[in-house]
Amino acid sequence: MLNLSSLKKLQEARAKLHTSQKIAVLTGAGISQESGIPTFRGQGGLWREYRAEDLATPEAYARDPLLVWEWYQMRFHTVLRAEPNSAHYALAELEKTKDLILVSQNVDGLHKRAGSSRILELHGNITLSRCERCLHLDELKENFSLPPFCSRCHARARPNVVWFGEALPQAIFGQAVEAFHNAELALVIGTSAVVEPAASLALLAKEQGAYLIEINPEPTPLSPLVNFSLMTTASQGMQLLLGK
Ligand code: APR
């Protein structure tokens, strides 16, 4: 339950959300946790005792492409079974009345399925494979075999995601920087804010005088810097923020 000072802050945050037109949102794995998709650094984040940092790298893929594909295939099937939750839908709704850009670190595609359209997927999307030779993108089928091959040139295809040590897609990251640079309000939901460069986007907005709100049941390195921290789940936080 919120105490009196938090209630005051919540009213302030709601008012700020109401009056702000330019809004930049950054989401992480936490927003999909209530859809049944495990986060990376919380409970259940490991797979066969591997961490994301052990598998989501070009070196791991070069060493054992099938092991890396097995991890992505498991995550792909988890995503197929998952549904967007109320937090995804609340952001899609907000986009209808605000100049809102949704920057996501997630690769699960749930924001799009919830109806958001102005989405920047910083780390790619696991529903697609990308040809290692001609870069052609193919939609993965539910029962795709390992490893998948390019439908155009038949070379082996890799997961269409950004691995540790790889550069983010420059055009997409540039748009994300611009969104946070121009934002009147920045909303950071469900990220541990430890993976760069995504983690620094909110600071960009703060430097320009934007109002920062974080929704996360746990404190993060960003928490001391935000104007209002809703220490709760994404669905509960969005409900409180939108006053529904
Ligand atoms: N609602 C909101 N936040 C939640 C919830 C929830 N129901 N459950 C957990 N969280 C929070 C956790 O407290 C944590 O701070 O979500 C955050 C998840 O952090 P990570 O697992 O580190 O995920 P993320 O921040 O998205 O990781 C960033 O690292 O592995 C790479 O590329 C991968 O995009 C990912 C990046």
Side-chain angles (χ1 to χ4, degrees), residues 27-35 37-43 45 51-53 56 71-72 75 85 87 104-107 122-123 161-164 189-196 198 214-221 230 232-237:
T27 61
I31 197 170
S32 298
Q33 187 269 338
E34 291 162 276
S35 296
I37 299 179
T39 61
F40 294 99
R41 295 170 184 85
Q43 290 299 325
R51 299 172 310 136
E53 287 79 353
W71 181 50
Y72 280 96
R75 293 174 62 201
N85 62 59
S104 189
Q105 300 173 88
N106 299 341
V107 295
L122 290 185
H123 295 163
V161 295
V162 178
W163 282 330
F164 287 100
I189 309 172
T191 181
S192 55
V194 293
V195 173
E196 293 299 353
E214 180 180 44
I215 302 177
N216 194 321
E218 303 288 330
T220 73
L230 273 154
T232 184
T233 61
S235 57
Q236 175 70 13

Side-chain angles (χ1 to χ4, degrees), residues 12-22 98 184-185:
E12 179 192 88
R14 277 185 188 160
K16 201 68 191 155
L17 182 62
H18 182 69
T19 54
S20 301
Q21 198 46 35
K22 285 185 171 302
K98 300 290 183 184
E184 298 166 76
L185 182 141

Side-chain angles (χ1 to χ4, degrees), residues 40 45-56 71 164:
F40 294 99
L46 296 179
W47 176 71
R48 293 188 202 166
E49 298 316 305
Y50 290 102
R51 299 172 310 136
E53 287 79 353
D54 303 326
L55 295 167
W71 181 50
F164 287 100

Side-chain angles (χ1 to χ4, degrees), residues 140-161:
L140 287 169
K141 303 276 179 291
E142 179 157 4
N143 54 358
F144 75 94
S145 53
L146 295 183
F149 291 93
C150 172
S151 65
R152 186 160 67 179
C153 77
H154 310 301
R156 187 177 67 185
R158 57 165 276 180
N160 180 47
V161 295

